[in-house]
Each structure stands twice: as C-alpha cells, then as structure tokens.
C-alpha cells in the first residue's frame, strides 16, 4: 500500500487557533493511524501578513499539544523558484496566460455582472491575447470551459462542480508571487501528499486546484474537508466566545492532553466514548467518523474533560503547574503544593481553579465570610479558639502531631458539641464556613501560621462581641 502522507499548512498570520489545531490533529491522527507521515508547511507567501511571531506561536501550540511532525518544516517563502518553474511550465503548455486587465476594468465588469444578477467572474478578455510578461501582468490559469470536476470528499461525499462555474483564477501576482491555490498544488504534489485534510472553508478551492493538478500532470490526492467549529451560540467560533488561541488554554490552567482529547471530539466520534488517550486516538481515528455537521464549542465539556485528566494526573506534575500559576499571579507560597493538590485534585476543573481554591492557604486571609461569622463566631467561640491555641503552642513536632486528636481533645475538655470548636476554627483558618478538614489545613499552613490565624480570629471575635 502507498505510504500515506498528510500535512498541516497554516498561514502564519496569527496564533494557532482552535480550528487550526483541530485540523492539524486530524491530519496527524490519520497519518499516525496509517503509519504514514505528517508534515508541516508554513504558507508564508503573504509577506505583509506573515510574521515570525506567528510562526513561533504555531510551533509552540503544536509542541504543547504534542503534535509531532515528520521531517523538516517547509516554508513556502523559501520555495519561490520552484513555483516560478512550474508557472513557466503552465505558461509554456498554454494552461496559463498573462493578463493586464486593470483593477478598474475588473471592478467594472464585476459591477455589471452583479447588476445582471450573474456570479462575478473574470470575462476572459486576455485569455487568447498571448500577452507577454510585463510589470503589470498577472498570470491566470486557463480553466477548461467545458466539463466538470468531480471528487470524493472523505467527509462530504461526492462533489461535482461544472468548469463553467470556475473562472480563470489568478495564480501569480504582478510581483511574481504565487497565489494560494497555485502554490498549494505545487507543494502538495512535491511533498507527495496523499490526503489533504483541511477546513471546509477551502472546499470551493478544491475543484480549481484539481484543474491545476491535471494541467501539471500531477496525481490527484484525496480530500477531506472538515466542518467548521461554532461557538455555543451557533455563530462561527471567534474571540468573543472565549479563548480561540490554543496557548490560552495553557494560561487558563488546562492540561494539553485534555485539550487534545476535547479537540478530537470536536467533529469526530467513536460511539459514545468521551475520553481517549493519544494512543487510543491513533488506533481509533478514521475519516469516516468525522461528522458532516459543524460542531459546537462547549466550554463546560472542555472543563469536565480537563477535570478527568487532572484527577488522573501525577501529583508532582500538578504541583509544578500550580507553582507556575501562583508565580504568574505574583503569589509567593511557602506551603507544600503537593499537599494542596491532594486537597483539590478531585474537584478542581482547571489548575487556575485549584489555585483559587487554595488561595487561603497561600495568602493571608482577607477577611471572614460574613454569613459564616454570624454562625461560627458566636459567644463561646473565644473559649474554643483560645483552647485550640493553647494546645497548638505546646506541640513540639507539628508534622507528626495528631492534629485531629488535638481538636477532639479540646471538644472533650470543653464538653461541647464538635461544631462549637470545629466551626470557629475552620472560619479562623480559611475565612470560609466550608472547606478541607481543620487538621489538614493546619498541617499545610504550619504551626506558626495556624497560631497566628487563630489568634487573629480571637481578637476579631472579642471585638465583635463588645
Ligand atoms: N494556508 C491555508 C490556510 O491556513 C491552508 C489551506 C490548506 O490546508 O490547503 O487556510
């Protein structure tokens, strides 16, 4: 069987966005599933809009998601000679021609066609004029006037377009730069791409490209056009729906394998299965499972998937990510972050959420929850807080002390219900009525900080009750 070669061909005019990453993932999986090759080509012939920062952002995004590509990256801007060579071939064989129609003229015919209710298209004025190259000539492809183009799209099924519908598209600009539809064909052919997997915003280009393949005598690859991604509101996914830049998810506290898992389900399914390891994705992915309908981005599902991955993740790794998040917030913490991870690993949906949940452990409290104050700092709370402080002060080895027992002893000594001690202590330690067990909080923040917080609460309660 012929080796399968796919590619991802982004234009470096922005970051790696969710749609691009999903296309890259499908191309990647199709190649890996078939033990083929997945290649990266940067389509940077639009010099005005392409930037090195975008190239770097694409590499960074692919690297974060673990979408390893094979071989060297190919840059279209470094392949201009090859396009020129193939352009000359088309011109020599009469498949392309120079055109010097002015912008004004093109504008005018477009206007007239629109007025007549026709589809705007080039009228073919220069097609048979045999013009030679000059400073203001562009090159147009001589699209066949009869017949049609048919291809079997792996997602959309059979598509047929009459050549009449396609006009003579521009394949090189006056400055010699090839246009997308031309360079993409030359590169896909030169790279031996067997399967072009891309967004369906390109589906109208495919028949034009197939005509160019024919004219150059290249074999035609197979095509799979992946439906677009919509926001939760049904409009095309855009910035206003939240993070569209893949790296924003790193900043927002998502794990790359969770984002990858989310992306694969965005337009592809395998029964009802929601969670896939990368190996499973490779084993199970096929183009037949790609949905025809657009998929909707759903942030709560992404969060749920991320939570599943956080639950399974290595504690040390999560602690490192948590440390990074705290650093970015300018929070300096002395507590054992692995212990904090242990507290919230089940519940937190993102690392950032974990940081928020644990903030009372990292930073001084900024006050007490008002409702909780009414309930927990009642008369009698002073005695409870004071008794716990006294007990804490006599402990010599905090880390091995049984702090749960310490509180239980205070309860027994004061001869009160557990809540009479537990509630004020929790509020004193965390500022909230709910949260992890007191002895766990005390262990994490340490002896000194525990005594300090309890003492502050005691002062607060005394003032409160005056
Ligand atoms: N550079 C094009 C884009 O980013 C690639 C389209 C294709 O894959 O053919 O949309």
């Amino acid at each position: 069987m012929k080796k399968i070669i796919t590619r991802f061909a982004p234009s470096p005019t922005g970051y790696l966005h969710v749609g691009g990453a999903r296309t890259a993932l499908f191309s990647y999986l199709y190649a890996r599933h078939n033990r083929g090759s997945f290649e990266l080509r940067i389509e940077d012939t639009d010099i005005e809009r392409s930037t090195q920062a975008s190239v770097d952002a694409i590499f960074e995004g692919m690297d974060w998601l673990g979408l390893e590509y094979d071989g060297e990256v190919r840059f279209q801007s470094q392949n201009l000679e090859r396009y020129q060579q193939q352009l000359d071939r088309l011109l020599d064989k009469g498949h392309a021609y120079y055109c010097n129609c002015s912008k004004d003229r093109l504008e005018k015919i477009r206007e007239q066609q629109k007025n007549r209710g026709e589809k705007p298209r080039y009228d073919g004025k220069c097609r048979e004029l045999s013009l030679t190259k000059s400073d203001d000539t562009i090159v147009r492809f001589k699209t066949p006037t009869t017949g049609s183009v048919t291809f079997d799209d792996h997602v959309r099924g059979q598509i047929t377009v009459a050549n009449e519908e396609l006009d003579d598209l521009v394949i090189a600009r006056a400055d010699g730069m090839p246009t997308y539809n031309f360079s993409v064909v030359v590169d896909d052919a030169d790279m031996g791409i067997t399967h072009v997997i891309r967004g369906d915003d390109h589906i109208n280009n495919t028949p034009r490209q197939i005509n160019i393949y024919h004219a150059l005598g290249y074999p035609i690859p197979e095509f799979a056009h992946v439906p677009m991604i919509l926001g939760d509101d049904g409009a095309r996914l855009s910035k206003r729906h939240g993070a569209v830049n893949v790296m924003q998810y790193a900043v927002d506290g998502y794990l790359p394998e969770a984002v990858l898992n989310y992306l694969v389900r965005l337009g592809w399914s395998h029964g009802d299965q929601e969670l896939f390891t990368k190996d499973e994705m490779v084993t199970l992915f096929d183009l037949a499972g790609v949905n025809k309908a657009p998929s909707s981005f759903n942030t709560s599902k992404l969060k749920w998937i991320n939570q599943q991955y956080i639950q399974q993740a290595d504690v040390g790794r999560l602690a490192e990510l948590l440390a990074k998040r705290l650093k970015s917030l300018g929070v300096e913490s002395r507590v054992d972050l692995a212990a904090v991870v242990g507290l919230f690993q089940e519940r937190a949906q993102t690392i950032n959420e974990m940081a928020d949940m644990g903030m009372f452990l990292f930073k001084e409290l900024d006050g007490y929850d008002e409702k909780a104050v009414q309930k927990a700092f009642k008369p009698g709370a002073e005695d409870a807080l004071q008794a716990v402080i006294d007990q804490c002060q006599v402990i010599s080895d905090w880390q091995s002390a049984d702090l749960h027992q310490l509180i239980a002893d205070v309860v027994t000594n004061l001869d009160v219900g557990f809540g009479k001690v537990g509630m004020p202590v929790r509020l004193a330690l965390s500022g909230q009525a709910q949260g992890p067990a007191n002895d766990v909080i005390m262990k994490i923040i340490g002896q000194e900080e525990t005594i300090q917080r309890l003492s502050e609460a005691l002062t607060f309660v005394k003032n409160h009750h005056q």
Side-chain angles (χ1 to χ4, degrees):
M1 209 180 78
K2 200 164 137 198
K3 181 179 173 189
I4 284 179
I5 307 177
T6 67
R7 61 17 172 222
F8 176 47
S11 307
T13 55
Y15 39 64
L16 178 62
H17 54 83
V18 167
R22 199 256 324 238
T23 304
L25 174 61
F26 285 6
S27 300
Y28 168 88
L29 292 175
Y30 192 69
R32 292 286 172 270
H33 177 86
N34 291 291
R35 296 180 197 286
S37 165
F38 166 67
E39 307 195 2
L40 177 61
R41 180 174 74 230
I42 303 289
E43 304 214 315
D44 56 351
T45 51
D46 185 344
I47 297 169
E48 309 248 291
R49 295 180 59 221
S50 302
T51 64
Q52 184 58 43
S54 300
V55 173
D56 294 342
I58 291 164
F59 290 154
E60 190 189 16
M62 292 183 69
D63 187 49
W64 186 65
L65 289 172
L67 297 174
E68 312 91 12
Y69 47 85
D70 299 302
E72 295 283 309
V73 186
R74 188 181 180 103
F75 290 86
Q76 285 195 323
S77 60
Q78 291 168 15
N79 204 26
L80 299 178
E81 255 176 61
R82 177 67 179 159
Y83 307 130
Q84 188 56 53
Q85 200 184 49
Q86 297 304 78
L87 194 66
D88 291 342
R89 263 185 70 209
L90 285 183
L91 285 160
D92 287 349
K93 295 204 297 187
H95 286 303
Y97 60 92
Y98 290 108
C99 166
N100 64 2
C101 288
S102 66
K103 273 212 173 85
D104 279 355
R105 174 170 191 276
L106 295 175
E107 198 84 348
K108 216 176 269 166
I109 55 172
R110 195 169 302 145
E111 203 53 39
Q112 289 166 352
Q113 287 166 335
K114 259 175 46 196
N115 291 343
R116 289 198 299 266
E118 292 170 13
K119 209 164 122 187
R121 66 208 305 269
Y122 180 58
D123 64 354
K125 174 170 181 271
C126 297
R127 197 173 156 110
E128 306 301 340
L129 293 185
S130 305
L131 297 176
T132 50
K133 183 177 170 53
S134 70
D135 282 352
D136 57 358
T137 47
I138 55 166
V139 181
R140 287 185 184 274
F141 180 70
K142 215 181 232 179
T143 301
T145 46
T146 56
S148 59
V149 179
T150 294
F151 64 101
D152 276 311
D153 189 90
H154 277 270
V155 179
R156 297 288 204 87
Q158 195 176 74
I159 293 179
T160 299
V161 177
N163 279 325
E164 262 177 23
E165 299 285 316
L166 310 169
D167 62 356
D168 288 352
L169 65 147
V170 179
I171 54 175
R173 300 183 204 290
D175 63 3
M177 271 296 184
T179 61
Y180 158 71
N181 274 308
F182 180 61
S183 52
V184 80
V185 170
V186 173
D187 279 324
D188 282 341
D190 283 349
M191 291 162 77
I193 303 301
T194 58
H195 291 71
V196 171
I197 300 169
R198 62 183 166 205
D200 70 359
D201 46 334
H202 285 291
I203 202 155
N204 292 334
N205 287 322
T206 303
R208 301 172 213 278
Q209 292 175 14
I210 290 177
N211 279 327
I212 299 175
Y213 277 99
H214 283 308
L216 286 168
Y218 292 147
I220 318 284
E222 297 190 34
F223 293 93
H225 289 91
V226 182
M228 62 178 163
I229 303 172
L230 306 176
D232 327 53
D233 57 358
R236 196 190 182 98
L237 188 68
S238 71
K239 269 191 202 144
R240 104 196 127 72
H241 296 107
V244 203
N245 175 1
V246 163
M247 288 314 291
Q248 186 62 41
Y249 290 104
V251 175
D252 290 349
Y254 290 85
L255 303 181
E257 62 271 36
V259 174
L260 206 66
N261 191 146
Y262 179 72
L263 288 176
V264 82
R265 287 286 294 106
L266 206 50
W268 175 78
S269 52
H270 179 76
D272 295 335
Q273 190 171 337
E274 289 291 358
L275 300 174
F276 298 87
T277 63
K278 202 167 161 201
D279 284 346
E280 274 179 301
M281 289 182 203
V282 169
T283 309
L284 299 172
F285 186 80
D286 60 356
L287 291 171
V290 175
N291 306 336
K292 287 188 179 45
S295 18
S296 295
F297 199 87
N298 178 338
T299 307
S300 22
K301 185 156 160 205
L302 169 60
K303 281 193 174 163
W304 178 81
I305 291 182
N306 202 50
Q307 181 179 17
Q308 310 309 306
Y309 279 89
I310 286 181
Q311 286 173 357
Q312 291 159 26
D314 173 72
V315 172
R317 174 184 171 211
L318 294 176
E320 267 173 39
L321 291 171
L322 186 58
K324 229 169 110 184
R325 170 65 182 163
L326 294 181
K327 198 163 166 218
S328 78
L329 292 173
V331 174
E332 239 176 88
S333 164
R334 282 170 296 118
V335 305
D336 174 12
L337 293 180
V340 178
V341 169
L343 284 185
F344 304 117
Q345 193 168 6
E346 280 302 309
R347 270 195 299 138
Q349 291 194 303
T350 63
I351 298 294
N352 295 11
E353 218 174 271
M354 194 181 273
D356 291 345
M357 287 173 170
M359 205 48 82
F360 72 94
L361 300 165
F362 312 129
K363 274 194 358 185
E364 271 173 39
L365 300 186
D366 54 6
Y368 305 109
D369 179 83
E370 264 178 49
K371 265 200 199 140
V373 166
Q374 307 301 326
K375 275 197 182 162
F377 287 168
K378 285 194 184 136
E382 283 110 315
D383 294 343
L385 290 169
Q386 187 61 61
V388 178
I389 292 170
D390 292 345
Q391 292 291 325
C392 287
Q393 267 161 346
V394 298
I395 289 182
S396 57
D397 181 359
W398 190 259
Q399 282 317 313
S400 61
D402 185 344
L403 300 175
H404 182 75
Q405 191 57 47
L406 178 149
I407 292 176
D409 289 346
V410 172
V411 169
T412 313
N413 293 344
L414 294 180
D415 194 15
V416 292
F418 199 89
K420 287 271 186 295
V421 179
M423 276 173 28
V425 169
R426 166 162 303 121
L427 187 57
L429 295 176
S430 70
Q432 298 147 19
Q434 310 273 313
N438 284 327
D439 56 305
V440 176
I441 301 178
M442 289 157 78
K443 223 12 84 86
I444 290 178
I445 63 176
Q447 185 168 20
E448 199 183 316
E449 181 71 17
T450 298
I451 294 172
Q452 163 119 12
R453 288 190 187 190
L454 293 170
S455 308
E456 275 166 16
L458 185 58
T459 310
F460 178 92
V461 177
K462 282 181 178 158
N463 293 336
H464 198 69
H465 289 158
Q466 265 173 10

